[in-house]
Amino acid sequence: MTEAHPPAPLRVVNAMLGRGLGGLEQTLVDYGDALTLVGHEVHAVIHPDAAIRGALEARGATWHPLPHLGAWDPFAVGRLRELLRTLRPDASFSHGNRAVGLLSRAGARPLIGVLQNYKMHCGALTAACHPTQDLKRYARGQGVADEDLYHIPNMVRVPAVPPRREVHAPPVIGAMGRLVAKKGFDVFIAALARLAAQGTVFRAVLAGDGEDAAALRRLAAESGLAQVLSFPGWVDDKQTFFDGIDIFCLPSHHEPFGIVLLEAMAQALPVVTTASEGPSEIVRDGVDATIVATADPDALAGGLRLLLSDQDRAARLGASAYRLVRDRYDLPRVAGCLDQALRRIVGSAAARGGRDVHAPA
């Protein structure tokens, strides 16, 4: 009887070319971790000044700098084409339109888009990974065939046992994200102001940075929250942030997925989220989280008040959230799904005569 051998590892390019911090950057790191975990050779391609560079270096990841002026930069295309000729990757993952544009112009095939928002241009893609059914519908609308669509949830590393939580005195409400309009942090501040006006005792923290940071700080001061709401900026130590809060709030107007939601759930935190696109698919109202209407500070304040006043309910929601994220979104579990999808994509490209397997010589 012939002994079965495990499939050979693949060489993979994992590209994200923005400089800031956010969901795309986190997904690049998570995909790199997952692909490495299942044995593949991963080469990250990033802007040399990318904020995510430190996280890659801390992991000992292999990364290549690609200075560029945008998706049409011919010099960047030339440099990337030369890198692809050297590496001869079996496949390339692209996070964001700059990565799609430059990789496609450099001849990367098969080219796999990782959908994290409703902006990705899908015409040049061989296949697409989507974390939600709503993003799958978007990709279909962009012309991606069903057989080229792969459901790969976003992922987090989940503690082996749920963290024990002791409620702070007073309890602390936390939110985190890019401080931009679509994240709904103005509604979060308005909801906190309603709680304070009704005599609810709490503290709050809003972590992150972005173009609306100054306006949100002014709004907090004008709303009488200067003594209870802090703005620490970006936090590198997310564990300390989550350890310091009792309820996590996701007030987004639009949220294609919400990786930070998974991160909070992995810490067994009770969550109040709006009924935006991604969270509506991830959690169940009253089971894993409290879901309220978008752009409604009264509804958001009501959801927060419910958990502040009922610690047993909050603990039940946090425990259920932990189980859900452990069973569906833990990085090793999703890594196996990603490995299967990658091998199918590469195999399909090879079956088409090899024309999609490597960049042109």
Side-chain angles (χ1 to χ4, degrees):
M1 181 176 179
T2 303
E3 183 179 352
H5 295 284
L10 302 175
R11 182 177 296 138
V12 180
V13 161
N14 189 34
M16 191 288 308
L17 296 170
R19 300 190 194 191
L21 288 171
L24 288 179
E25 292 78 11
Q26 185 62 55
T27 306
L28 171 97
V29 172
D30 292 340
Y31 265 60
D33 287 350
L35 291 164
T36 300
L37 182 66
V38 293
H40 299 305
E41 178 186 331
V42 182
H43 293 260
V45 177
I46 61 172
H47 192 282
D49 299 327
I52 209 69
R53 172 177 166 179
L56 295 174
E57 291 176 339
R59 287 162 165 76
T62 301
W63 64 276
H64 306 268
L66 184 69
H68 65 280
L69 300 176
W72 293 89
D73 184 343
F75 299 103
V77 170
R79 288 190 290 268
L80 185 53
R81 183 179 291 117
E82 186 59 33
L83 178 63
L84 293 173
R85 285 173 176 164
T86 300
L87 294 177
R88 291 187 62 80
D90 295 290
S92 297
F93 286 94
S94 53
H95 305 262
N97 280 325
R98 270 174 287 183
V100 170
L102 289 170
L103 281 167
S104 63
R105 291 178 180 89
R109 304 296 289 178
L111 178 56
I112 307 165
V114 180
L115 296 175
Q116 291 297 319
N117 54 46
Y118 301 94
K119 299 178 181 179
M120 180 170 278
H121 304 149
C122 299
L125 300 179
T126 306
C129 297
H130 61 89
T132 68
Q133 294 305 306
D134 201 48
L135 281 164
K136 180 179 183 178
R137 287 188 287 271
Y138 168 80
R140 282 173 170 165
Q142 289 271 307
V144 183
D146 278 356
E147 60 266 27
D148 297 323
L149 286 166
Y150 296 83
H151 180 224
I152 305 296
N154 287 326
M155 61 200 94
V156 293
R157 289 193 180 273
V158 181
V161 295
R164 295 187 62 181
R165 310 211 64 87
E166 298 292 338
V167 178
H168 297 82
V172 183
I173 303 167
M176 177 191 292
R178 289 186 300 119
L179 304 186
V180 296
K182 72 177 183 177
K183 296 297 184 179
F185 292 126
D186 56 335
V187 178
F188 175 65
I189 291 171
L192 296 181
R194 283 159 169 75
L195 290 177
Q198 294 158 3
T200 304
V201 178
F202 66 90
R203 290 188 297 112
V205 56
L206 175 50
D209 204 353
E211 61 192 44
D212 289 352
L216 290 170
R217 288 188 177 92
R218 285 195 300 271
L219 178 60
E222 293 165 359
S223 302
L225 298 172
Q227 301 304 311
V228 296
L229 175 59
S230 62
F231 290 83
W234 285 113
V235 293
D236 294 324
D237 186 354
K238 289 186 179 180
Q239 186 63 57
T240 297
F241 170 81
F242 288 124
D243 287 345
I245 67 175
D246 302 294
I247 298 172
F248 183 76
C249 183
L250 189 70
S252 301
H253 300 302
H254 297 288
E255 192 65 66
F257 188 87
I259 295 174
V260 70
L261 174 63
L262 298 187
E263 292 172 335
M265 294 167 64
Q267 297 300 315
L269 279 162
V271 170
V272 178
T273 179
T274 54
S276 46
E277 299 89 342
S280 294
E281 288 192 30
I282 297 170
V283 295
R284 299 160 292 179
D285 183 36
V287 179
D288 314 299
T290 295
I291 302 177
V292 301
T294 59
D296 188 337
D298 289 320
L300 189 59
L304 292 168
R305 189 186 308 109
L306 177 63
L307 296 188
L308 288 168
S309 63
D310 189 342
Q311 292 186 14
D312 289 340
R313 179 185 180 88
R316 287 196 303 272
L317 291 184
S320 180
Y322 169 84
R323 290 191 296 270
L324 175 64
V325 77
R326 178 199 62 196
D327 293 344
R328 296 187 185 178
Y329 301 102
D330 194 19
L331 190 144
R333 180 180 295 274
V334 179
C337 299
L338 180 58
D339 177 53
Q340 293 177 20
L342 171 62
R343 291 187 182 280
R344 285 184 59 187
I345 294 165
V346 171
S348 295
R352 289 193 291 265
R355 64 180 184 275
D356 283 339
V357 175
H358 294 294

